[in-house]
Amino acid sequence: MSSQEIRSFKAFIIWGMRNILISILLLLLLTACTGAASPQADRVVPDCRPAPIKVPKMPAVIPEYMQLDRETGLHMTGTPQEIDLKSYRLLVTGQVEKPLSLQYDELRCLPKVTAAPPLKCSGIFEDWVDTATWSGVTIAEVLNLARPLPEAKTITMVSADGYKVTVDLDTAMKPDNYLAYELEGQPLPVLHGFPLRSVFPAKEGSNWVKWLVEISVN
């Protein structure tokens, strides 16, 4: 092989190695871009970047069961749960096409509803009706994201304290029923369900599940 041929061969090798390196760099860049985009692509709820909230704390004094909470004027029921907001997820499980694990802010990014339905609890405080303004997202909005299967008939709402309530799916899907994350325009107090509770205006207060962590579609 002549000197000219050797020089040409070396130049070809260098050219080939350079192109290989460029291809590898382009592939790495493409992979990085794809990886960065995938969490957003996987989101069920668009990121609306809601304003940060002040996380409520457990009060120093907790009213006795069925007693009035002087801070809100609402009766105290259930066993108060202090839930870590960073790790909190609302699970939607069971007979659905797409099981969900929704963060608190994802719920806040869904269409918001506000109402002031009366809260009644027969056998607990029958001579008193709790009234307050609750804001949140309809149960139908959340369930539609999960897409219940045709055979689904009920939902079971599960509290962090172990309390459970089952209602008909058709009832849960009515537009008046929702999941509240605000009381009087502020995050729910711990005593009244923070971070999330159900609101069923036409049903007894026993259906208004506090500290809601899961909706199982059955």
Side-chain angles (χ1 to χ4, degrees):
M1 182 179 292
S2 66
S3 297
Q4 180 63 34
E5 288 174 330
I6 292 173
R7 285 195 296 271
S8 298
F9 180 74
K10 287 183 178 180
F12 175 79
I13 293 297
I14 293 172
W15 175 83
M17 292 179 65
R18 183 182 63 183
N19 285 345
I20 290 172
L21 289 173
I22 292 174
S23 297
I24 292 173
L25 289 173
L26 288 173
L27 181 60
L28 290 173
L29 180 62
L30 180 61
T31 301
C33 291
T34 303
S38 59
Q40 183 65 30
D42 290 342
R43 289 182 69 93
V44 176
V45 180
D47 185 5
C48 69
R49 298 184 183 276
I53 67 163
K54 182 178 180 180
V55 176
K57 301 295 184 182
M58 187 76 74
V61 178
I62 299 175
E64 296 293 329
Y65 188 72
M66 296 188 295
Q67 298 300 307
L68 275 179
D69 170 21
R70 295 184 181 276
E71 294 294 322
T72 62
L74 303 174
H75 283 83
M76 180 63 215
T77 58
T79 305
Q81 304 290 305
E82 197 161 20
I83 295 174
D84 177 45
L85 190 59
K86 290 183 179 180
S87 61
Y88 173 78
R89 300 292 184 273
L90 172 66
L91 303 180
V92 182
T93 62
Q95 297 188 42
V96 295
E97 291 184 22
K98 186 177 181 62
L100 302 178
S101 177
L102 298 174
Q103 300 177 28
Y104 181 75
D105 279 350
E106 289 182 297
L107 294 165
R108 295 171 68 207
C109 284
L110 292 169
K112 187 177 182 180
V113 297
T114 299
L119 172 57
K120 303 176 183 179
C121 284
S122 296
I124 299 180
F125 45 91
E126 295 183 357
D127 298 329
W128 184 285
V129 177
D130 284 351
T131 56
T133 299
W134 310 87
S135 299
V137 55
T138 63
I139 298 174
E141 187 76 34
V142 173
L143 292 180
N144 284 336
L145 293 174
R147 301 190 293 274
L149 299 176
E151 58 268 29
K153 301 299 181 185
T154 65
I155 67 166
T156 299
M157 297 170 290
V158 183
S159 169
D161 70 355
Y163 181 69
K164 299 179 181 180
V165 170
T166 298
V167 300
D168 293 339
L169 178 59
D170 289 343
T171 297
M173 295 292 280
K174 290 181 178 180
D176 291 343
N177 301 322
Y178 58 106
L179 306 177
Y181 49 75
E182 287 182 0
L183 172 66
E184 305 296 351
Q186 298 296 322
L188 294 177
V190 171
L191 299 185
H192 300 287
F194 182 82
L196 196 68
R197 74 175 295 169
S198 58
V199 174
F200 285 86
K203 284 185 169 291
E204 290 283 324
S206 57
N207 294 277
W208 296 37
V209 178
K210 299 178 180 181
W211 313 291
L212 186 65
V213 294
E214 182 179 1
I215 297 176
S216 175
V217 180
N218 312 302

